[in-house]
Each structure stands twice: as C-alpha cells, then as structure tokens.
C-alpha cells in the first residue's frame, strides 16, 4: 500500500502554489479554519471569578486528578448543528459532501473544564436521506452514556428531518474533535474541532487553535464502502489527497488523464498561519482522517509536546510527530527560526505514513512571520525525520517519552484480562471482512445495546460483539495484530493505561513505567505487534472499542464493552430510562419502517 519510493522533498510544484484560485466559500463553505480570519483562542472563556480565580478554581494540571476532581462551573455552552449536503472543493476537486452548518471542517466547540456542553443536532441530509449520529471523541460521558453517539450501541440513529440533543460534561480538558459515527459517514465531511480550556503549567503567548489533519477522498464514502465490501473487493481504500484544516492543492491533470470530467481548479488554496516573531504559539493537532497515519512537522521549528489526547504530559521536544486517526497532540512552537527574521516563511507539513493507502500523501500549509508576504511561497526545507521515520507504520513516539504530568499508577493484577485478536477473512460471497475477537460486528440500529441493558435484556446477538465485563473494577485488554497494517484503537467512555506496545506477542509481564504509564483514549497497534491496555471500569455503560480506520470499522472491526451492567439498570432501568433515548428510537423506527435502510457495513 501507499506510494513507493517517495521522498518528502519531491512534492510536486503543482501542489505548492500559495495564491488561491478559489475563495474560501468555494473550498470550505462557511468555515474559516486555515485562514487569517480564524481568530486566536482565548486562554479560557469568560472572566476570572470575583476572587481572581480561573473558571475551574484553584485546580491545576500538576496537582489534581482530572478523573476524580473535575469541577462543576455551572456554565452551559449550547450549539445548534444542522447536518446537510453541500457542494464544495476543499482541494479544488468539486464534490458533494456532508457539512455541519454549511462548513467543512465544522464549527469549533469551545468550553471550559467543568462546563456542560449542549449540542442540538438536526438531520437535514436529503437526496438521498440518511440517518446520522454524532460522537464526541474522548469525552467520558459519565452519567450520560446515551449521548456517546455510537448508533446501534448507545442510541438509535437520528432519522432524517429529526433532531437529537446531546448534553454532556467537559470533565476532561484539552483538544479533541467530533464526528459522525454512522457507518463511515464522517469521511464525507462531518467532522469538527473541540477545545476545552483548562489549567496548564505550559507557558505560551498565543493559542492558534485547531490544526486538523485529514486524508481526503474524491468519491462519496458510501460508494467506497460498497466497492470495498463487494465480492472480490479490497480492504485498501486509497485516499486522493491530504488536507490541513480542510485545505490543499490538487494536481487536476491526474483526474483529467483518468477521464474524470468533474470540475477541478488547480491551486485552490492551502491553509495559512500567522506567527508572531519571537512569540510561543500553541497548536492543537488532530488527526481527523478516515485512514492514514499523519507525520506532522514545521520546517525549521522544534515542537514541545504538552498533551496527548486529553492528557497533559511532561513536556518533550520533537521535530516531527506521528498521529494515528483519532489521536491529538498539543504542541508549543516558538517563532525564532531563521534568526527570528520577521519576513520569514516556512512550510508546515503533514505526510501520510508509507503504509497508509494514499495516491497523494503530502499536505502543505504556509506559516508566515509578521512581515512576510503571504502570497510568496516558503522556500524552507524539511527536517530529516519529517517523513515516515521507520517501519512501525507511524506508531506513536516511544512510551518511555510520553509521561503524563499528573502521575497515576496502574493497579495490580486486573479483575479481568481479555486477549482480542485481529484477523481478516473472506466470507462465502468472497467479501473481505475483519474479525475482532472472532466476530465481524454488525449493530442493530433499531435495538441499541444500551437500550437492551436498560430494559433488562442481556441476550445480545453474537454479531453485536458485546463483551460483558460485569462488576469487574479493572479490565486488561491484550490486542494481538498478526496483519501487515497498523490499527488505531479507540475506546469510548474511558482513558486507558497503555501498558505495552511493540512488535510480536506480549511477554505477559513487561509494563512500561507502571508507576505512571501513558494514558489516552486512542493508541495504535503496529503491524505484526501487540498493544496492552488497562482501564478502571468505573463508568457504567456500554462503550465501543474499535479500529478508528473508518473502512476497517465498516468491515466489522468493532466491539463493545459493557461495564457495570447492574449499575446501569439501577440508575436508568425501567421508567428511569431517559425519554430522549426512547424518542429517537421511535422516530428511527417510524422512518425505517417506510424506508429501506441501506446498511451494507457494520453500521457504526
């Protein structure tokens, strides 16, 4: 897979133009990400309290456990999202996409640690109609498991013409994103950034906000899944381009040479960032793609990593960083390169790892110091390690390097240990599918697993791939990957400890830094390797655990972890079940009784 023999310095001159031939509305709708019009972010929302404290009080990242000491600010941040189709050209190649409030990427959700977030999602997808559901990546959803947004797991999909209100607490802080969790729908454009402001030891001057990195496809997501899951289909789904904040140029000649008559504009426009000379900037990196591992760098600038996912870490320096799908990193960058010449300009780069299926793997954006000409292309050169550095397919930085700022030791022997193998096979119809712990999953949109638990029905169909951990307080999961590709594993509802990650099988005893192991919600299992996770199963609910490559999840690479089922029934069973859960299912049932739901994949 991937592009053979490529080198980072071989980016085509047809991709490096900085004078845009399309206006922002043509490339990204109402989004202002990637332009100088996107404002710097404040350090927090609102004002200091009357006694001079931050909204989260005197809590700190170094001195407080965010899992047990989350504040309650009383503030509510409300957003209205309309999901609809639209015609845009993020890289110059015009295509029908799915938009949030007419924007790609969608609007920024912003809150303070301890705020409540309320999002009213209206499904206006038409011609054709589709269901939808929205997942708030990395949010624990404590006491709100029905608002996790995984259809068939935590809720019924939102029917066309209907709405659903998600309401949840920002109990963690940092950088994340939201995305559709209905089939591989988010690959069609339903994504956007989330920033939760919280305490930090890090010193910086300017918060530049989200930097979203995403592979991009010129065909609709449903057509790609249909081809992948056809008899004889291939699990490799090559992307057509790679974007930074939803923008990149594209060599339109390649489409024309293939006989494609779709309107395509060369030099559509790349993202641009303004650095203030001598100042330190915070960048919030998100891999919001459907497949590829991203390798991010800025020519001439060292980055200091201060957070991975929603976990502040002890600062460490890199010149390039790898992010698998779903992973985030907050980095600090000081504008002091080239002798701090205020007329300097530099390339920002994000390259898809060589093992990621990609026709054009390079993404570029331009960074301009104060007095630089924003219509002149940078001439900077990449760092030596800016490309894919080794054979790990972009596996994240060594576990030894990534140490959480607030130390939490892993508990001793877990109550439950489960080994889960990743396998692939072709069924009797010659359709390629994934097996995860022996099952190729398929959810039931009309009977979500959480709904079943609340109603006292624990007879889950085998194909739902529900793993019931009962009353176990700690769970260890050993993921074994015998295949040639990487898999970014994401667990809903929890941050997990990463105990071990490496080639081959786990030896059953090695735990990296048990006094303070890596914590996060997404971690890659490398090709022919293992990943050992552990989590404290103290969040009652049912939580998806899946590969975050959209095409792999569609191919059945999904499981669900049921934790504390007795507590689920005690809190929300019977007439205590939230009314909106029943309402969204009634609306979905009514729509699906009169419409054939074309669920050709796992569904979530």
């Amino acid at each position: 897979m991937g592009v053979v023999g490529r080198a980072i310095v071989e980016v085509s001159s047809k991709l490096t133009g900085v004078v845009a031939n399309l206006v922002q509305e043509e490339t990204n709708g109402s989004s202002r990400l990637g332009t100088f019009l996107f404002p710097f972010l404040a350090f927090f929302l609102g004002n200091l309290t009357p006694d001079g404290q931050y909204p989260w009080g005197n809590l700190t990242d170094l001195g407080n456990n965010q899992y047990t000491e989350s504040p309650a600010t009383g503030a509510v941040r409300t957003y209205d999202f309309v999901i609809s189709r639209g015609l845009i050209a993020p890289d110059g190649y015009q295509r029908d996409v799915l938009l949030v409030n007419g924007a790609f990427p969608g609007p920024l959700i912003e809150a303070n640690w301890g705020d409540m977030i309320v999002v009213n999602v209206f499904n206006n997808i038409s011609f054709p109609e589709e269901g939808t559901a929205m997942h708030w990546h990395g949010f624990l959803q404590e006491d709100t498991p029905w608002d996790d947004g995984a259809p068939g797991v935590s809720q019924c999909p939102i029917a066309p013409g209907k709405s659903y209100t998600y309401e949840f607490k920002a109990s963690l802080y940092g950088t994340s994103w939201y995305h559709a969790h209905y089939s591989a729908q988010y690959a069609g454009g339903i994504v956007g950034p989330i920033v939760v402001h919280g305490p930090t030891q890090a010193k910086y001057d300017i918060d530049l906000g989200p930097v979203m990195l995403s592979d991009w496809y010129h065909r609709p997501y449903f057509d790609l899944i249909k081809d992948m899951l056809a008899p004889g289909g291939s699990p490799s789904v090559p992307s057509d381009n790679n974007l930074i904040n939803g923008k990149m140029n594209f060599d339109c000649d390649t489409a024309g040479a293939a006989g494609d008559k779709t309107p395509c504009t060369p030099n559509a426009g790349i993202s641009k960032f303004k650095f203030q000379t001598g100042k330190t900037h915070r960048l919030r990196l998100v891999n919001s793609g459907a497949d590829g591992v991203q390798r991010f760098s800025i020519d001439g600038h060292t980055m200091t990593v201060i957070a991975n996912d929603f976990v502040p870490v002890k600062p460490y320096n890199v010149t390039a960083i790898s992010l698998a799908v779903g992973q985030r990193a907050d980095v600090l960058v000081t504008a002091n390169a080239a002798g701090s010449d205020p007329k300097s300009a530099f390339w920002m780069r994000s390259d898809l790892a060589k093992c990621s299926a990609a026709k054009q793997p390079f993404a570029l954006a331009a960074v301009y110091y104060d007095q630089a000409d924003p219509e002149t292309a940078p001439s900077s050169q990449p760092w030596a390690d800016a490309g894919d550095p080794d054979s790990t397919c972009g596996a994240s930085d060594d576990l030894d390097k990534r140490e959480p700022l607030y130390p939490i030791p892993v508990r001793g022997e877990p109550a439950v240990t489960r080994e889960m193998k990743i396998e692939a096979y072709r069924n009797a119809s010659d359709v390629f599918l994934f097996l995860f712990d022996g099952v190729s999953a398929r959810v039931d949109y009309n009977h979500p697993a959480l709904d079943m638990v609340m109603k006292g029905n624990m007879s889950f169909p085998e194909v739902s791939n529900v793993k019931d951990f009962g009353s176990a307080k700690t769970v260890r999961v050993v993921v074994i990957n015998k295949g040639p590709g990487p898999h970014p594993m994401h667990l809903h509802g929890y941050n997990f400890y990463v105990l071990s990650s490496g080639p081959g099988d786990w030896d059953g005893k090695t735990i990296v830094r048990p006094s303070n192991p890596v914590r996060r919600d997404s971690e890659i299992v490398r090709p022919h390797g293992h990943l050992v996770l552990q989590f404290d199963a103290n969040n009652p609910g049912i939580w998806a655990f899946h590969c975050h490559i959209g095409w792999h999840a569609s191919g059945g690479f999904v499981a669900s972890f049921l934790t504390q089922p007795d507590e689920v029934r005690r809190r929300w069973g019977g007439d205590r079940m939230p009314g909106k859960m029943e309402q969204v299912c009634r609306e979905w049932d009514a729509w699906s009784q009169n419409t054939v739901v074309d669920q050709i994949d796992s569904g979530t």
Side-chain angles (χ1 to χ4, degrees):
M1 295 189 297
V3 177
V4 178
R6 71 190 188 208
I8 190 170
V9 294
E10 294 174 354
V11 180
S12 167
S13 60
K14 295 182 179 181
L15 304 179
T16 57
V18 296
V19 179
N21 287 329
L22 294 179
V23 299
Q24 182 71 4
E25 288 72 17
E26 293 174 303
T27 57
N28 300 92
S30 62
S31 173
R32 293 297 175 263
L33 276 174
T35 74
F36 296 143
L37 295 177
F38 189 84
F40 297 152
L41 301 187
F43 293 112
F44 59 92
L45 299 181
N47 301 307
L48 295 173
T49 63
D51 57 354
Q53 293 188 337
Y54 291 107
W56 45 85
N58 59 3
L59 301 177
T60 68
D61 54 352
L62 184 60
N64 296 96
N65 184 334
Q66 60 180 327
Y67 307 106
T68 60
E69 301 178 80
S70 174
T73 64
V76 179
R77 311 293 175 182
T78 302
Y79 296 85
D80 295 322
F81 281 1
V82 177
I83 313 300
S84 62
R85 297 192 188 275
L87 194 67
I88 58 172
D91 61 356
Y93 184 96
Q94 190 179 87
R95 56 157 300 193
D96 182 54
V97 300
L98 294 162
L99 301 172
V100 183
N101 292 358
F104 172 72
L108 169 68
I109 288 178
E110 201 173 0
N112 293 327
W113 185 28
D115 291 352
M116 292 299 296
I117 298 173
V118 176
V119 189
N120 303 302
V121 177
F122 182 75
N123 180 358
N124 197 34
I125 302 173
S126 57
F127 304 108
E129 293 181 327
E130 297 180 28
T132 195
M134 199 74 79
H135 175 56
W136 320 96
H137 190 106
F139 285 79
L140 301 182
Q141 299 294 349
E142 294 170 310
D143 296 320
T144 54
W146 48 83
D147 283 339
D148 187 52
V153 179
S154 59
Q155 69 167 94
C156 293
I158 306 169
K162 302 298 181 180
S163 63
Y164 182 84
T165 298
Y166 296 90
E167 185 172 4
F168 50 94
K169 184 181 180 182
S171 61
L172 304 179
Y173 55 87
T175 302
S176 197
W177 61 307
Y178 58 85
H179 60 85
H181 217 295
Y182 181 98
S183 183
Q185 199 177 56
Y186 84 90
I190 307 179
V191 298
I194 304 176
V195 170
V196 179
H197 300 285
T200 179
Q201 301 288 309
K203 304 299 182 185
Y204 58 93
D205 304 297
I206 298 164
D207 191 332
L208 282 180
V211 182
M212 303 190 74
L213 316 172
S214 60
D215 43 25
W216 185 243
Y217 299 81
H218 289 167
R219 297 177 62 208
Y221 83 91
F222 191 81
D223 291 351
L224 294 170
I225 293 174
K226 208 158 48 170
D227 285 355
M228 184 188 82
L229 297 179
S234 170
S236 176
V237 184
S239 58
D240 293 286
N241 210 345
N242 197 19
L243 313 179
I244 296 177
N245 274 348
K247 303 175 71 63
M248 181 55 185
N249 296 325
F250 179 67
D251 183 357
C252 294
D253 290 344
T254 61
D260 189 341
K261 303 301 183 184
T262 302
C264 187
T265 303
N267 290 321
I270 62 172
S271 288
K272 296 181 179 181
F273 298 86
K274 183 72 73 174
F275 275 15
Q276 293 188 18
T277 308
K279 301 291 186 180
T280 297
H281 306 74
R282 181 173 185 165
L283 284 70
R284 301 171 178 270
L285 312 179
V286 181
N287 185 336
S288 56
D291 188 328
V293 175
Q294 300 278 355
R295 183 74 171 170
F296 178 88
S297 64
I298 303 175
D299 293 357
H301 294 77
T302 298
M303 299 178 288
T304 300
V305 181
I306 61 170
N308 285 313
D309 295 354
F310 269 148
V311 180
V313 297
K314 294 182 179 180
Y316 62 94
N317 293 334
V318 296
T319 51
I321 187 169
S322 297
L323 293 175
V325 178
Q327 291 186 319
R328 294 89 67 206
D330 287 42
V331 300
L332 302 184
V333 182
T334 301
N336 58 5
S340 298
D341 181 355
K343 295 182 179 180
S344 300
F346 302 87
W347 287 120
M348 175 186 290
R349 306 175 188 265
S350 198
D351 292 5
L352 293 168
K354 291 176 182 150
C355 65
S356 300
K359 299 174 184 176
Q360 197 298 102
F362 306 112
L364 293 172
V367 173
Y368 294 99
Y369 282 16
D370 309 84
Q371 299 176 29
D373 179 3
E375 296 195 348
T376 298
S379 58
S380 58
Q381 295 299 308
W383 289 102
D385 65 346
D388 197 1
D390 51 39
S391 61
T392 65
C393 286
S396 306
D397 303 311
D398 292 339
L399 297 182
D400 287 332
K401 185 185 296 184
R402 296 180 280 139
E403 184 173 359
L405 190 61
Y406 183 88
I408 302 178
V410 68
R411 295 186 182 183
E413 286 300 308
V416 174
T417 296
R418 188 172 193 106
E419 183 177 284
M420 303 183 73
K421 292 182 179 178
I422 303 166
E423 301 171 284
Y425 78 110
R426 289 189 177 272
N427 66 14
S429 300
D430 196 29
V431 174
F432 181 95
L433 295 169
F434 282 95
L435 292 171
F436 191 31
D437 198 26
V439 177
S440 185
R442 180 180 172 89
V443 301
D444 184 343
Y445 284 152
N446 295 77
H447 301 95
L450 181 61
D451 180 274
M452 294 176 63
V453 176
M454 289 180 177
K455 293 176 178 176
N457 182 1
M458 302 288 286
S459 300
F460 305 107
E462 181 183 2
V463 73
S464 67
N465 209 14
V466 173
K467 312 301 178 187
D468 182 358
F469 292 122
S471 60
K473 298 298 185 184
T474 56
V475 175
R476 181 175 295 174
V477 180
V478 182
V479 180
I480 306 297
N481 181 17
K482 297 296 186 182
H487 299 287
M489 303 306 301
H490 172 52
L491 176 59
H492 294 213
Y494 291 95
N495 273 184
F496 48 69
Y497 306 100
V498 183
L499 305 188
S500 180
S501 174
D505 293 335
W506 184 45
D507 62 13
K509 57 185 179 181
T510 298
I511 295 177
V512 178
R513 203 175 50 252
S515 61
N516 188 23
V518 166
R519 300 189 305 271
R520 63 189 316 167
D521 58 62
S522 304
E523 182 74 12
I524 203 165
V525 55
R526 68 189 67 207
H528 307 291
H530 70 269
L531 175 65
V532 184
L533 314 175
Q534 187 163 310
F535 61 96
D536 300 322
N538 54 10
N539 191 10
I542 189 158
W543 310 103
F545 180 52
H546 60 93
C547 174
H548 217 304
I549 293 175
W551 322 118
H552 294 185
S554 284
F557 196 162
V558 181
S560 295
F561 292 170
L562 174 57
T563 55
Q564 307 300 324
D566 291 345
E567 190 65 16
V568 172
R569 287 191 294 269
R570 187 189 71 80
R571 296 185 189 183
W572 308 300
D575 59 5
R576 295 180 297 280
M577 182 176 178
K580 65 180 182 179
M581 274 189 75
E582 298 181 289
Q583 178 67 22
V584 74
C585 284
R586 282 195 297 267
E587 291 169 349
W588 179 259
D589 288 345
W591 183 77
S592 61
Q593 284 175 6
N594 299 304
T595 305
V596 176
V597 179
D598 206 359
Q599 184 184 344
I600 61 173
D601 63 356
S602 72
T604 195

